[in-house]
Amino acid sequence: MQIMVRDNNVDQALRALKKKLQREGVYREMKLRRHYEKPSEKRAREKAAAVRRARKMDRKRMERDGAK
């Protein structure tokens, strides 16, 4: 990953870097890796996330279909 600093504007380059890291999920992964997570806990967390995503998609689908 590379960020160009233009006109000695380090603050702007730092903001761009943080935005890229956020988009790629680096901060989320760092947070998860701070402590060891048992495989069973990881499966449970991933399953709960999948359920949340599915419910959110269902809500959006119902909202879209209901609006028609």
Side-chain angles (χ1 to χ4, degrees):
M1 181 179 313
Q2 187 175 16
I3 303 291
M4 301 299 284
V5 178
R6 296 185 185 140
D7 299 327
N8 263 350
N9 195 346
V10 176
D11 292 333
Q12 186 178 6
L14 193 57
R15 274 200 312 273
L17 174 64
K18 286 181 180 180
K19 194 179 291 187
K20 273 190 175 184
L21 292 174
Q22 180 74 32
R23 256 188 263 127
E24 291 186 11
V26 173
Y27 291 128
R28 188 180 312 117
E29 188 171 339
M30 283 173 37
K31 182 179 176 185
L32 288 172
R33 289 177 184 250
R34 276 194 191 128
H35 302 288
Y36 177 73
E37 185 177 29
K38 289 172 37 178
S40 60
E41 292 171 346
K42 182 178 180 182
R43 279 193 306 271
R45 177 179 50 78
E46 289 175 348
K47 185 173 182 178
V51 168
R52 279 194 304 273
R53 280 194 309 273
R55 286 183 182 161
K56 185 176 181 180
M57 281 179 39
D58 288 342
R59 274 196 312 270
K60 287 188 180 272
R61 189 179 309 116
M62 291 296 289
E63 183 180 305
R64 186 181 65 237
D65 293 343
K68 288 183 179 177

